[in-house]
Amino acid sequence: MRRLLVVTLMFAASAGARAGSVSPASIGGHSIGESAAVFLSAEPEAQRKADACRQSAGEPSCAQLLAALDGRERAEVSTGDSMAFLLEAGKLVRITMPADRAADAEVADLTKQIGHRPRQIAIAGQNVQGAKWHNSLFVWDTADATLTLYQDNDPSLQDRRPLLVIEARP
């Protein structure tokens, strides 16, 4: 089942906040900076994996996941609906997911929500047969997060949806 891509950016209301600062960035029902407990409550698949790991903590993959959930390490958690999450120090610090709409529509919506245009980077691509194309990377920097939208235009790809990443700034 595809998740409807909804990116909600709540902008700081204080007079001292610069335009376009994101606090917090949210996507797919998650917010950058949310606790591991909040993350698990919204992701039943990840909760089941964490529960299984707590019962057999000796598994190498479980040790890293449990350490990330407990705030000691970082670990990536993927779900069956193509979303990937990075947990670090017990907090959600990155969300990655495919966008269901064309890159142009996503760029327009994100630009409107964030309040400024992204940096756009063209990346040349070429396959072994010599076919060439240009991929596009759009980057929005805010006070709290970096948002990127990557459009891979490789003609051999079956899934050509843009990839959206929201990551907390260090």
Side-chain angles (χ1 to χ4, degrees):
M1 177 170 92
R2 282 188 169 182
R3 280 192 186 192
L4 175 64
L5 174 63
V6 178
V7 178
T8 305
L9 302 173
M10 303 191 160
F11 296 97
S14 68
R18 59 179 218 212
S21 65
V22 179
S23 180
S26 301
I27 184 170
H30 293 283
S31 297
I32 295 296
E34 73 187 22
S35 71
V38 170
F39 166 75
L40 289 174
S41 70
E43 290 296 329
E45 183 180 338
Q47 180 67 64
R48 283 189 297 278
K49 183 172 183 169
D51 291 344
C53 281
R54 291 200 193 283
Q55 292 177 2
S56 60
E59 296 290 323
S61 63
C62 285
Q64 185 177 15
L65 174 61
L66 294 175
L69 293 172
D70 295 339
R72 298 184 319 267
E73 287 188 29
R74 68 188 292 173
E76 188 165 308
V77 177
S78 298
T79 61
D81 59 357
S82 302
M83 290 186 77
F85 306 92
L86 182 65
L87 298 165
E88 182 174 25
K91 304 274 185 203
L92 180 62
V93 296
R94 184 175 66 214
I95 304 168
T96 304
M97 68 178 287
D100 288 332
R101 299 182 304 158
D104 291 346
E106 295 299 339
V107 168
D109 282 353
L110 287 167
T111 298
K112 182 178 177 182
Q113 291 177 42
I114 294 170
H116 62 84
R117 296 199 45 79
R119 287 179 290 142
Q120 183 175 357
I121 302 164
I123 303 166
Q126 180 175 343
N127 64 18
V128 295
Q129 289 82 26
K132 296 180 181 184
W133 62 88
H134 283 92
N135 302 316
S136 297
L137 180 67
F138 302 89
V139 181
W140 294 265
D141 290 311
T142 70
D144 300 326
T146 298
L147 291 84
T148 59
L149 185 72
Y150 178 69
Q151 176 64 58
D152 190 334
N153 293 311
D154 180 344
S156 69
L157 292 177
Q158 290 187 15
D159 186 355
R160 305 236 341 243
R161 294 180 292 171
L163 186 66
L164 179 63
V165 179
I166 300 178
E167 188 164 11
R169 292 183 65 85

